[in-house]
Amino acid sequence: VTGITGQDGWYLAHHLLERGYEVIGLVRPETYRELHRCRYGIESDYVEGVSYRPFDLHCDSSWEALLDEAKPDEFYHLAGISFVPDSWNMPVETIQTNIAITTRILEAIRQFSAETRIFYACSSEVFGRPETGPQHELTPIRPVSPYGVTKAASHSMIDLYRRQYGLFACSGILFNHESPRRPPSFVTRKISMAAAAIATGKQDSLMLGNIDSRRDWGYAGDFVDGMWRVLQATEAKDYVIGTGNHTTVRDLLNCAFDRVGLDWSKYLSIDPRFARANDIQAPLADASLARKELGWSARTSIQELMQMMVDHDLKLCEQSETSIRAA
Ligand code: NDP
């Protein structure tokens, strides 16, 4: 698993360990030294039972030894720059990371472990501003951000290696998915943290952009099950993975603030600068192929997801209170 220290990597590691897999996690050397830190939540990146390896994904010469030794049955490529605004701030680095690493992995697997099945974490951002909806596997690809371009290019490389070399390589075209491990730069977590902090007297207001903005938001725990199912299929294919339901930012506010018994409108101020420039319009997943062929569908409602996140963030507030008192 690459990207094992990210949100999805953590859930996927648990999912695979629960199914009896031996899991190897490839981690940037600088992150490897900090595996036990709690970055965004009450639990650290470290998952008991995973064999973590410091590994430079950009370094071609390391792959042969790794794949020769491990000969993995399955390879999940999740690593990448994943925040769209970051890709505008550093487009060259986003290209180098998101496209070059995918290509390196495909090449290494082709050369040294061609039986390995590969999952690639593609994104609904490849659809850009779709003119038709909901979006499915054949919806035209027209990204509108550097991030979307990198995901589209990697998606094409996956397709190319599948057709040219017969690799079992698949993209999951993932719609937004969230959890208590989401960084606070994402609006779902910004809201859950604000609800918890306001309820415990640590914060007195919340600033957002457009609260009528809509997305297809799901729970990361459900999505990693989708990733796993993609690689259990009899045939290598790409699949859209998403809930098929729209949620507005206003709905997120309702769910989060209801959980703590507060009225969000008393705390919210609107700053149009938080509305994303060149933002995409209301993507919505048509995951009928995944439902039909993989038996996958999202199980967790948006209410359950936001409650889970707020409950986690209330604990985080308690924890910081305790550590301040102890200090
Ligand atoms: P995160 O941002 O939480 O995790 C990203 C992971 O990639 C981290 O482990 C990070 O490592 C690693 N990474 C970033 N840059 C590099 C690099 N240069 N070299 C090696 N590793 C690197 O993302 P998510 O878990 O949310 O998403 C997983 C994948 O799914 C991503 O590729 C994302 O684009 C894609 N995706 C996610 C969606 C979502 O809603 N979550 C939707 C659609 C696609 P480190 O800890 O060292 O920083």
Side-chain angles (χ1 to χ4, degrees):
V1 180
T2 71
I4 195 154
T5 53
Q7 169 188 263
D8 292 2
W10 193 88
Y11 284 96
L12 181 63
H14 283 280
H15 195 80
L16 295 175
L17 288 169
E18 280 161 19
R19 280 158 186 74
Y21 281 68
E22 189 183 325
V23 180
I24 299 175
L26 305 181
V27 184
R28 285 199 260 204
E30 59 270 34
T31 306
Y32 183 78
R33 289 190 284 276
E34 299 185 324
L35 272 176
H36 290 275
R37 79 190 148 157
C38 298
R39 262 196 284 193
Y40 306 119
I42 47 183
E43 289 182 273
S44 76
D45 293 346
Y46 181 81
V47 178
E48 189 72 46
V50 171
S51 166
Y52 290 97
R53 310 273 173 95
F55 196 89
D56 179 2
L57 299 175
H58 291 282
C59 176
D60 287 325
S61 58
S62 319
W63 285 102
E64 183 172 1
L66 175 86
L67 291 172
D68 261 356
E69 179 216 322
K71 284 271 179 278
D73 298 306
E74 296 169 13
F75 191 106
Y76 295 85
H77 175 35
L78 311 181
I81 291 171
S82 66
F83 189 48
V84 174
D86 284 347
S87 78
W88 286 107
N89 296 334
M90 36 183 195
V92 175
E93 198 180 333
T94 307
I95 297 278
Q96 281 164 349
T97 301
N98 289 9
I99 304 178
I101 291 177
T102 310
T103 310
R104 282 206 164 85
I105 289 170
L106 284 165
E107 258 305 280
I109 287 181
R110 176 183 79 78
Q111 289 182 51
F112 309 121
S113 188
E115 295 304 310
T116 298
R117 295 182 168 204
I118 311 160
F119 174 87
Y120 173 61
C122 183
S123 161
S124 57
E125 296 270 333
V126 298
F127 300 128
R129 281 190 204 87
E131 282 160 16
T132 55
Q135 292 78 52
H136 50 76
E137 292 76 8
L138 300 177
T139 299
I141 288 183
R142 278 198 212 109
V144 292
S145 66
Y147 170 81
V149 167
T150 66
K151 290 290 173 184
S154 292
H155 179 56
S156 296
M157 291 304 285
I158 291 282
D159 180 53
L160 199 60
Y161 272 62
R162 183 170 59 216
R163 285 188 289 121
Q164 183 73 14
Y165 300 116
L167 292 190
F168 197 106
C170 314
S171 288
I173 306 171
L174 310 173
F175 282 63
N176 297 64
H177 47 281
E178 319 294 309
S179 77
R181 301 191 69 80
R182 229 358 178 174
S185 46
F186 289 84
V187 69
T188 45
R189 187 72 194 283
K190 186 173 179 178
I191 291 173
S192 69
M193 287 180 99
I198 291 170
T200 52
K202 292 183 182 345
Q203 190 174 317
D204 51 22
S205 65
L206 165 66
M207 199 175 284
L208 293 174
N210 177 9
I211 63 168
D212 294 314
S213 184
R214 293 178 301 168
R215 286 288 180 279
D216 182 337
W217 274 295
Y219 170 47
D222 291 341
F223 278 56
V224 299
D225 176 47
M227 297 176 187
W228 175 75
R229 285 172 189 253
V230 168
L231 291 196
Q232 313 314 307
T234 43
E235 196 186 331
K237 270 190 205 171
D238 304 324
Y239 290 92
V240 160
I241 307 280
T243 71
N245 297 318
H246 268 150
T247 302
T248 62
V249 173
R250 190 186 293 272
D251 297 330
L252 299 177
L253 285 163
N254 283 331
C255 295
F257 280 75
D258 277 358
R259 187 64 172 174
V260 290
L262 294 175
D263 173 0
W264 53 265
S265 65
K266 295 192 177 137
Y267 306 95
L268 181 73
S269 45
I270 300 291
D271 184 340
R273 282 174 304 168
F274 281 105
R276 274 194 209 168
N278 206 8
D279 206 356
I280 57 172
Q281 274 143 25
L284 185 66
D286 172 356
S288 46
L289 190 66
R291 195 162 46 247
K292 183 165 157 247
E293 295 190 357
L294 308 177
W296 183 86
S297 59
R299 308 244 172 255
T300 310
S301 70
I302 196 71
Q303 287 82 2
E304 289 165 329
L305 171 62
M306 289 310 289
Q307 285 174 6
M308 182 195 315
M309 292 173 69
V310 171
D311 291 352
H312 170 276
D313 291 337
L314 286 167
K315 283 195 200 126
L316 200 60
C317 287
E318 261 170 43
Q319 215 175 52
S320 68
E321 187 90 347
T322 316
S323 60
I324 290 166
R325 272 205 300 272

Short mmCIF file of all heavy atoms in Angstrom, two decimals, residues 239-290:
data_model
loop_
_atom_site.label_atom_id
_atom_site.label_comp_id
_atom_site.label_asym_id
_atom_site.label_seq_id
_atom_site.Cartn_x
_atom_site.Cartn_y
_atom_site.Cartn_z
N TYR A 239 -13.96 1.27 -12.00
CA TYR A 239 -15.29 1.41 -11.41
C TYR A 239 -15.45 2.77 -10.75
O TYR A 239 -14.54 3.22 -10.04
CB TYR A 239 -15.51 0.35 -10.31
CG TYR A 239 -15.64 -1.05 -10.84
CD1 TYR A 239 -14.51 -1.87 -10.96
CD2 TYR A 239 -16.87 -1.56 -11.21
CE1 TYR A 239 -14.62 -3.18 -11.44
CE2 TYR A 239 -16.99 -2.87 -11.70
CZ TYR A 239 -15.87 -3.66 -11.81
OH TYR A 239 -15.99 -4.94 -12.28
N VAL A 240 -16.61 3.38 -10.93
CA VAL A 240 -16.99 4.57 -10.16
C VAL A 240 -17.41 4.11 -8.76
O VAL A 240 -18.19 3.15 -8.62
CB VAL A 240 -18.15 5.32 -10.86
CG1 VAL A 240 -18.89 6.23 -9.90
CG2 VAL A 240 -17.60 6.12 -12.04
N ILE A 241 -16.86 4.79 -7.76
CA ILE A 241 -17.23 4.48 -6.38
C ILE A 241 -17.74 5.78 -5.73
O ILE A 241 -16.97 6.74 -5.58
CB ILE A 241 -16.01 3.97 -5.56
CG1 ILE A 241 -15.29 2.80 -6.26
CG2 ILE A 241 -16.38 3.62 -4.13
CD1 ILE A 241 -15.92 1.45 -6.09
N GLY A 242 -18.99 5.82 -5.39
CA GLY A 242 -19.57 7.02 -4.79
C GLY A 242 -20.96 6.70 -4.29
O GLY A 242 -21.53 5.66 -4.64
N THR A 243 -21.53 7.59 -3.46
CA THR A 243 -22.81 7.25 -2.82
C THR A 243 -24.00 7.41 -3.77
O THR A 243 -25.03 6.78 -3.59
CB THR A 243 -23.09 8.15 -1.60
OG1 THR A 243 -23.40 9.47 -2.04
CG2 THR A 243 -21.90 8.19 -0.65
N GLY A 244 -23.88 8.34 -4.75
CA GLY A 244 -25.02 8.63 -5.61
C GLY A 244 -25.99 9.61 -4.97
O GLY A 244 -27.08 9.85 -5.50
N ASN A 245 -25.61 10.21 -3.83
CA ASN A 245 -26.47 11.21 -3.17
C ASN A 245 -25.76 12.54 -3.06
O ASN A 245 -24.58 12.59 -2.71
CB ASN A 245 -26.82 10.76 -1.74
CG ASN A 245 -27.62 9.49 -1.74
OD1 ASN A 245 -28.52 9.32 -2.55
ND2 ASN A 245 -27.25 8.57 -0.87
N HIS A 246 -26.50 13.61 -3.30
CA HIS A 246 -25.95 14.94 -3.10
C HIS A 246 -26.18 15.41 -1.67
O HIS A 246 -27.25 15.19 -1.11
CB HIS A 246 -26.63 15.94 -4.03
CG HIS A 246 -25.92 16.11 -5.32
ND1 HIS A 246 -26.55 16.42 -6.49
CD2 HIS A 246 -24.59 16.04 -5.61
CE1 HIS A 246 -25.65 16.52 -7.46
NE2 HIS A 246 -24.47 16.27 -6.96
N THR A 247 -25.18 16.07 -1.12
CA THR A 247 -25.31 16.71 0.19
C THR A 247 -24.81 18.14 0.03
O THR A 247 -23.78 18.35 -0.60
CB THR A 247 -24.43 15.97 1.23
OG1 THR A 247 -24.83 14.60 1.28
CG2 THR A 247 -24.56 16.59 2.60
N THR A 248 -25.52 19.09 0.62
CA THR A 248 -25.00 20.47 0.58
C THR A 248 -24.18 20.73 1.84
O THR A 248 -24.30 20.01 2.85
CB THR A 248 -26.16 21.50 0.55
OG1 THR A 248 -26.92 21.34 1.75
CG2 THR A 248 -27.04 21.32 -0.67
N VAL A 249 -23.39 21.80 1.79
CA VAL A 249 -22.63 22.20 2.98
C VAL A 249 -23.62 22.54 4.11
O VAL A 249 -23.38 22.23 5.28
CB VAL A 249 -21.71 23.40 2.65
CG1 VAL A 249 -21.04 23.93 3.90
CG2 VAL A 249 -20.67 22.98 1.61
N ARG A 250 -24.76 23.10 3.73
CA ARG A 250 -25.82 23.39 4.72
C ARG A 250 -26.25 22.10 5.43
O ARG A 250 -26.44 22.08 6.65
CB ARG A 250 -27.00 24.01 3.97
CG ARG A 250 -28.08 24.60 4.81
CD ARG A 250 -29.22 25.02 3.88
NE ARG A 250 -28.84 26.11 3.00
CZ ARG A 250 -28.96 27.40 3.32
NH1 ARG A 250 -29.45 27.74 4.48
NH2 ARG A 250 -28.59 28.34 2.46
N ASP A 251 -26.41 21.00 4.66
CA ASP A 251 -26.78 19.71 5.28
C ASP A 251 -25.70 19.26 6.26
O ASP A 251 -25.99 18.73 7.33
CB ASP A 251 -26.91 18.60 4.22
CG ASP A 251 -28.02 18.85 3.22
OD1 ASP A 251 -29.02 19.49 3.59
OD2 ASP A 251 -27.87 18.40 2.06
N LEU A 252 -24.43 19.46 5.87
CA LEU A 252 -23.33 19.07 6.77
C LEU A 252 -23.44 19.84 8.08
O LEU A 252 -23.25 19.29 9.17
CB LEU A 252 -21.96 19.35 6.14
CG LEU A 252 -21.60 18.66 4.83
CD1 LEU A 252 -20.23 19.14 4.33
CD2 LEU A 252 -21.57 17.14 5.01
N LEU A 253 -23.73 21.15 7.95
CA LEU A 253 -23.86 22.00 9.15
C LEU A 253 -25.00 21.49 10.03
O LEU A 253 -24.86 21.37 11.25
CB LEU A 253 -24.15 23.45 8.73
CG LEU A 253 -22.94 24.22 8.18
CD1 LEU A 253 -23.40 25.46 7.43
CD2 LEU A 253 -21.98 24.61 9.30
N ASN A 254 -26.13 21.17 9.39
CA ASN A 254 -27.28 20.67 10.16
C ASN A 254 -26.91 19.40 10.93
O ASN A 254 -27.17 19.28 12.12
CB ASN A 254 -28.46 20.37 9.24
CG ASN A 254 -29.18 21.63 8.81
OD1 ASN A 254 -29.19 22.63 9.55
ND2 ASN A 254 -29.76 21.62 7.63
N CYS A 255 -26.28 18.46 10.22
CA CYS A 255 -25.94 17.16 10.86
C CYS A 255 -24.97 17.39 12.02
O CYS A 255 -25.13 16.83 13.11
CB CYS A 255 -25.27 16.21 9.87
SG CYS A 255 -26.31 15.69 8.53
N ALA A 256 -23.94 18.21 11.79
CA ALA A 256 -22.89 18.38 12.81
C ALA A 256 -23.40 19.14 14.02
O ALA A 256 -23.18 18.74 15.18
CB ALA A 256 -21.69 19.11 12.20
N PHE A 257 -24.12 20.23 13.77
CA PHE A 257 -24.55 21.06 14.91
C PHE A 257 -25.73 20.43 15.65
O PHE A 257 -25.87 20.62 16.85
CB PHE A 257 -24.81 22.50 14.45
CG PHE A 257 -23.54 23.29 14.33
CD1 PHE A 257 -22.68 23.09 13.25
CD2 PHE A 257 -23.16 24.21 15.30
CE1 PHE A 257 -21.48 23.80 13.14
CE2 PHE A 257 -21.97 24.92 15.20
CZ PHE A 257 -21.13 24.72 14.12
N ASP A 258 -26.56 19.65 14.94
CA ASP A 258 -27.62 18.89 15.63
C ASP A 258 -26.99 17.95 16.66
O ASP A 258 -27.53 17.74 17.74
CB ASP A 258 -28.42 18.04 14.64
CG ASP A 258 -29.50 18.85 13.95
OD1 ASP A 258 -29.63 20.05 14.29
OD2 ASP A 258 -30.18 18.30 13.05
N ARG A 259 -25.87 17.39 16.30
CA ARG A 259 -25.22 16.42 17.20
C ARG A 259 -24.84 17.06 18.54
O ARG A 259 -24.80 16.39 19.57
CB ARG A 259 -23.95 15.87 16.51
CG ARG A 259 -23.27 14.74 17.24
CD ARG A 259 -24.19 13.54 17.30
NE ARG A 259 -23.57 12.34 17.82
CZ ARG A 259 -24.23 11.22 18.06
NH1 ARG A 259 -25.52 11.13 17.82
NH2 ARG A 259 -23.60 10.17 18.53
N VAL A 260 -24.52 18.35 18.50
CA VAL A 260 -24.13 19.01 19.76
C VAL A 260 -25.23 19.94 20.27
O VAL A 260 -25.02 20.73 21.20
CB VAL A 260 -22.79 19.80 19.60
CG1 VAL A 260 -21.62 18.85 19.42
CG2 VAL A 260 -22.85 20.78 18.43
N GLY A 261 -26.42 19.84 19.64
CA GLY A 261 -27.58 20.60 20.13
C GLY A 261 -27.46 22.10 19.94
O GLY A 261 -27.98 22.86 20.76
N LEU A 262 -26.79 22.54 18.89
CA LEU A 262 -26.63 23.99 18.66
C LEU A 262 -27.20 24.38 17.30
O LEU A 262 -27.33 23.53 16.40
CB LEU A 262 -25.15 24.38 18.71
CG LEU A 262 -24.43 24.24 20.06
CD1 LEU A 262 -22.94 24.55 19.89
CD2 LEU A 262 -25.05 25.15 21.12
N ASP A 263 -27.50 25.68 17.17
CA ASP A 263 -28.01 26.23 15.91
C ASP A 263 -26.83 26.89 15.18
O ASP A 263 -26.34 27.94 15.62
CB ASP A 263 -29.11 27.25 16.25
CG ASP A 263 -29.60 28.00 15.04
OD1 ASP A 263 -29.11 27.74 13.92
OD2 ASP A 263 -30.49 28.86 15.21
N TRP A 264 -26.42 26.30 14.06
CA TRP A 264 -25.20 26.79 13.41
C TRP A 264 -25.32 28.23 12.92
O TRP A 264 -24.33 28.96 12.84
CB TRP A 264 -24.78 25.89 12.24
CG TRP A 264 -25.84 25.61 11.21
CD1 TRP A 264 -26.67 24.53 11.18
CD2 TRP A 264 -26.20 26.41 10.08
NE1 TRP A 264 -27.50 24.60 10.10
CE2 TRP A 264 -27.23 25.74 9.39
CE3 TRP A 264 -25.73 27.61 9.56
CZ2 TRP A 264 -27.82 26.25 8.24
CZ3 TRP A 264 -26.31 28.12 8.39
CH2 TRP A 264 -27.34 27.45 7.76
N SER A 265 -26.56 28.65 12.62
CA SER A 265 -26.70 29.98 12.02
C SER A 265 -26.26 31.08 13.00
O SER A 265 -25.96 32.19 12.58
CB SER A 265 -28.14 30.20 11.55
OG SER A 265 -28.98 30.20 12.67
N LYS A 266 -26.20 30.77 14.29
CA LYS A 266 -25.75 31.76 15.28
C LYS A 266 -24.23 31.94 15.27
O LYS A 266 -23.70 32.88 15.86
CB LYS A 266 -26.17 31.33 16.69
CG LYS A 266 -27.65 31.30 16.88
CD LYS A 266 -27.99 31.16 18.35
CE LYS A 266 -29.50 31.19 18.52
NZ LYS A 266 -29.98 30.21 19.46
N TYR A 267 -23.52 31.01 14.63
CA TYR A 267 -22.05 31.03 14.71
C TYR A 267 -21.38 31.23 13.35
O TYR A 267 -20.18 31.46 13.27
CB TYR A 267 -21.53 29.71 15.31
CG TYR A 267 -22.17 29.40 16.63
CD1 TYR A 267 -23.29 28.57 16.72
CD2 TYR A 267 -21.67 29.98 17.80
CE1 TYR A 267 -23.90 28.32 17.91
CE2 TYR A 267 -22.30 29.73 19.02
CZ TYR A 267 -23.40 28.89 19.06
OH TYR A 267 -24.01 28.66 20.27
N LEU A 268 -22.18 31.11 12.28
CA LEU A 268 -21.58 31.08 10.94
C LEU A 268 -21.44 32.48 10.34
O LEU A 268 -22.36 33.28 10.40
CB LEU A 268 -22.46 30.24 10.01
CG LEU A 268 -21.91 30.12 8.58
CD1 LEU A 268 -20.70 29.20 8.54
CD2 LEU A 268 -22.99 29.60 7.64
N SER A 269 -20.27 32.75 9.76
CA SER A 269 -20.17 33.92 8.88
C SER A 269 -19.67 33.44 7.52
O SER A 269 -18.94 32.45 7.42
CB SER A 269 -19.28 35.00 9.48
OG SER A 269 -18.12 34.43 9.98
N ILE A 270 -20.10 34.16 6.49
CA ILE A 270 -19.78 33.75 5.12
C ILE A 270 -18.68 34.64 4.58
O ILE A 270 -18.77 35.86 4.64
CB ILE A 270 -21.03 33.89 4.21
CG1 ILE A 270 -22.18 33.01 4.70
CG2 ILE A 270 -20.68 33.58 2.75
CD1 ILE A 270 -21.95 31.52 4.56
N ASP A 271 -17.65 34.00 4.07
CA ASP A 271 -16.57 34.74 3.42
C ASP A 271 -16.41 34.16 2.01
O ASP A 271 -15.96 33.01 1.86
CB ASP A 271 -15.26 34.57 4.20
CG ASP A 271 -14.14 35.41 3.59
OD1 ASP A 271 -14.26 35.77 2.41
OD2 ASP A 271 -13.17 35.68 4.29
N PRO A 272 -16.78 34.93 0.97
CA PRO A 272 -16.74 34.38 -0.40
C PRO A 272 -15.34 33.94 -0.81
O PRO A 272 -15.19 33.14 -1.73
CB PRO A 272 -17.22 35.54 -1.27
CG PRO A 272 -17.66 36.63 -0.36
CD PRO A 272 -17.23 36.32 1.02
N ARG A 273 -14.31 34.42 -0.10
CA ARG A 273 -12.95 33.98 -0.46
C ARG A 273 -12.76 32.48 -0.24
O ARG A 273 -11.88 31.86 -0.81
CB ARG A 273 -11.90 34.75 0.36
CG ARG A 273 -11.66 36.16 -0.15
CD ARG A 273 -10.74 36.88 0.76
NE ARG A 273 -11.26 36.89 2.12
CZ ARG A 273 -10.56 37.24 3.19
NH1 ARG A 273 -9.32 37.61 3.07
NH2 ARG A 273 -11.10 37.23 4.39
N PHE A 274 -13.59 31.89 0.63
CA PHE A 274 -13.48 30.44 0.86
C PHE A 274 -14.15 29.62 -0.24
O PHE A 274 -13.98 28.41 -0.31
CB PHE A 274 -14.08 30.05 2.21
CG PHE A 274 -13.17 30.35 3.36
CD1 PHE A 274 -13.42 31.42 4.19
CD2 PHE A 274 -12.06 29.56 3.61
CE1 PHE A 274 -12.59 31.71 5.26
CE2 PHE A 274 -11.22 29.84 4.68
CZ PHE A 274 -11.48 30.92 5.51
N ALA A 275 -14.96 30.28 -1.06
CA ALA A 275 -15.55 29.56 -2.20
C ALA A 275 -14.44 29.34 -3.21
O ALA A 275 -13.72 30.28 -3.55
CB ALA A 275 -16.69 30.37 -2.80
N ARG A 276 -14.27 28.12 -3.67
CA ARG A 276 -13.15 27.81 -4.57
C ARG A 276 -13.28 28.45 -5.94
O ARG A 276 -14.35 28.37 -6.54
CB ARG A 276 -13.07 26.31 -4.80
CG ARG A 276 -12.29 25.59 -3.76
CD ARG A 276 -12.02 24.23 -4.33
NE ARG A 276 -11.91 23.26 -3.26
CZ ARG A 276 -11.90 21.96 -3.48
NH1 ARG A 276 -12.03 21.49 -4.69
NH2 ARG A 276 -11.76 21.14 -2.48
N ALA A 277 -12.18 29.06 -6.40
CA ALA A 277 -12.18 29.55 -7.78
C ALA A 277 -12.18 28.33 -8.69
O ALA A 277 -11.60 27.29 -8.35
CB ALA A 277 -10.93 30.38 -8.02
N ASN A 278 -12.81 28.44 -9.83
CA ASN A 278 -12.80 27.36 -10.81
C ASN A 278 -13.31 26.03 -10.22
O ASN A 278 -12.82 24.96 -10.56
CB ASN A 278 -11.38 27.18 -11.36
CG ASN A 278 -11.40 26.59 -12.75
OD1 ASN A 278 -12.47 26.46 -13.35
ND2 ASN A 278 -10.25 26.25 -13.27
N ASP A 279 -14.24 26.14 -9.29
CA ASP A 279 -14.75 24.95 -8.61
C ASP A 279 -15.60 24.12 -9.57
O ASP A 279 -16.18 24.64 -10.50
CB ASP A 279 -15.60 25.40 -7.42
CG ASP A 279 -15.64 24.36 -6.34
OD1 ASP A 279 -15.06 23.28 -6.54
OD2 ASP A 279 -16.22 24.64 -5.28
N ILE A 280 -15.67 22.83 -9.34
CA ILE A 280 -16.47 22.01 -10.23
C ILE A 280 -17.92 21.95 -9.75
O ILE A 280 -18.20 22.21 -8.60
CB ILE A 280 -15.90 20.59 -10.38
CG1 ILE A 280 -15.79 19.92 -9.02
CG2 ILE A 280 -14.59 20.61 -11.09
CD1 ILE A 280 -15.42 18.48 -9.13
N GLN A 281 -18.83 21.64 -10.68
CA GLN A 281 -20.24 21.71 -10.33
C GLN A 281 -20.80 20.35 -9.95
O GLN A 281 -20.78 19.43 -10.76
CB GLN A 281 -21.03 22.27 -11.51
CG GLN A 281 -21.05 23.78 -11.49
CD GLN A 281 -20.98 24.35 -12.88
OE1 GLN A 281 -21.34 23.69 -13.84
NE2 GLN A 281 -20.47 25.56 -12.99
N ALA A 282 -21.24 20.26 -8.76
CA ALA A 282 -22.04 19.15 -8.25
C ALA A 282 -21.86 17.80 -8.94
O ALA A 282 -22.79 17.30 -9.57
CB ALA A 282 -23.50 19.57 -8.30
N PRO A 283 -20.70 17.19 -8.83
CA PRO A 283 -20.56 15.84 -9.37
C PRO A 283 -21.41 14.86 -8.57
O PRO A 283 -21.64 15.06 -7.38
CB PRO A 283 -19.07 15.53 -9.19
CG PRO A 283 -18.54 16.53 -8.24
CD PRO A 283 -19.50 17.66 -8.15
N LEU A 284 -21.87 13.83 -9.23
CA LEU A 284 -22.74 12.84 -8.58
C LEU A 284 -22.42 11.47 -9.17
O LEU A 284 -22.41 11.31 -10.39
CB LEU A 284 -24.21 13.21 -8.83
CG LEU A 284 -25.25 12.34 -8.13
CD1 LEU A 284 -25.19 12.53 -6.62
CD2 LEU A 284 -26.66 12.70 -8.64
N ALA A 285 -22.18 10.50 -8.30
CA ALA A 285 -21.73 9.19 -8.78
C ALA A 285 -22.89 8.32 -9.28
O ALA A 285 -23.93 8.24 -8.63
CB ALA A 285 -21.02 8.45 -7.65
N ASP A 286 -22.64 7.68 -10.39
CA ASP A 286 -23.49 6.56 -10.80
C ASP A 286 -22.63 5.31 -10.60
O ASP A 286 -21.83 4.96 -11.44
CB ASP A 286 -23.89 6.73 -12.27
CG ASP A 286 -24.62 5.48 -12.80
OD1 ASP A 286 -24.74 4.50 -12.05
OD2 ASP A 286 -25.04 5.51 -13.96
N ALA A 287 -22.80 4.70 -9.44
CA ALA A 287 -21.96 3.54 -9.10
C ALA A 287 -22.69 2.24 -9.39
O ALA A 287 -22.45 1.22 -8.74
CB ALA A 287 -21.55 3.63 -7.62
N SER A 288 -23.57 2.26 -10.41
CA SER A 288 -24.38 1.05 -10.64
C SER A 288 -23.52 -0.14 -11.09
O SER A 288 -23.84 -1.28 -10.78
CB SER A 288 -25.53 1.32 -11.60
OG SER A 288 -25.08 2.04 -12.71
N LEU A 289 -22.41 0.14 -11.80
CA LEU A 289 -21.57 -0.98 -12.22
C LEU A 289 -20.92 -1.66 -10.99
O LEU A 289 -20.90 -2.89 -10.90
CB LEU A 289 -20.47 -0.48 -13.18
CG LEU A 289 -19.68 -1.58 -13.88
CD1 LEU A 289 -20.56 -2.37 -14.84
CD2 LEU A 289 -18.46 -1.01 -14.62
N ALA A 290 -20.44 -0.85 -10.06
CA ALA A 290 -19.84 -1.41 -8.84
C ALA A 290 -20.89 -2.18 -8.03
O ALA A 290 -20.62 -3.23 -7.45
CB ALA A 290 -19.22 -0.31 -7.99
#
